[in-house]
Amino acid sequence: MIRRVVFDTTTVLSALLFENGRLAWLRGHWRQAGCVPLLSRGTAAELTRVLAYPKFKLSAEDRLELLGDYLPYCEVVEPWESCAQICRDAQDQPFLDLAHCGRAEVLVSGNHDLLALTGLTAFAIESPEFYRSRVVTS
């Protein structure tokens, strides 16, 4: 069974922007069907918005190319209800709602507000490092 995974924006950005970075392995992971990343219109809009930040100095073409390395591997799910757990940072709630409605196995994030909810949801919430240690050995 292929893992259904929600990656938060920072995790996806790190995988896409830093080809030799600590999360670059994720690109191969979703390309080789090691998982199915879940995405909603809201989380896709957030990713697109953040890629356009001036600090990344990415042209429109660069942004499209990066999105082309992620979006084709994603399954789009539109959350129809909120997760029972509420994140203290409202900007992170869409990731919980997506994981809940998309029946994700895991939400992968380095965000402390999300990681604080570990064990309180039907899906796991793991740091990228813990997720890697678990899926590379399984």
Side-chain angles (χ1 to χ4, degrees):
M1 186 167 115
I2 296 177
R3 293 173 186 87
R4 296 172 63 77
V5 181
V6 172
F7 296 106
D8 74 354
T9 302
T10 303
T11 301
V12 174
L13 281 175
S14 292
L16 293 175
L17 290 176
F18 306 108
E19 291 182 21
N20 297 313
R22 65 182 179 83
L23 298 184
W25 71 275
L26 283 171
R27 289 173 108 169
H29 181 58
W30 61 61
R31 281 181 188 154
Q32 297 164 6
C35 70
V36 173
L38 303 180
L39 192 71
S40 69
R41 280 186 296 206
T43 61
E46 168 76 0
L47 178 59
T48 302
R49 183 180 66 80
V50 174
L51 279 171
Y53 282 179
K55 70 180 179 179
F56 295 129
K57 300 177 181 164
L58 297 170
S59 68
E61 185 177 301
D62 292 337
R63 294 191 302 268
L64 285 175
E65 188 174 321
L66 289 171
L67 289 171
D69 279 344
Y70 183 61
L71 298 181
Y73 304 98
C74 295
E75 178 182 324
V76 177
V77 174
E78 283 310 318
W80 60 90
E81 65 183 9
S82 295
C83 180
Q85 289 301 317
I86 304 299
C87 190
R88 62 184 163 204
D89 183 346
Q91 290 186 330
D92 295 324
Q93 191 65 38
F95 298 101
L96 290 170
D97 298 344
L98 175 58
H100 168 72
C101 292
R103 297 185 190 146
E105 174 188 318
V106 61
L107 189 163
V108 178
S109 173
N111 182 302
H112 296 293
D113 290 331
L114 290 170
L115 290 169
L117 300 174
T118 299
L120 301 177
T121 58
F123 49 89
I125 302 174
E126 299 173 351
S127 70
E129 295 76 20
F130 187 82
Y131 176 72
R132 182 178 192 178
S133 73
R134 192 169 60 79
V135 300
V136 167
T137 60
S138 60

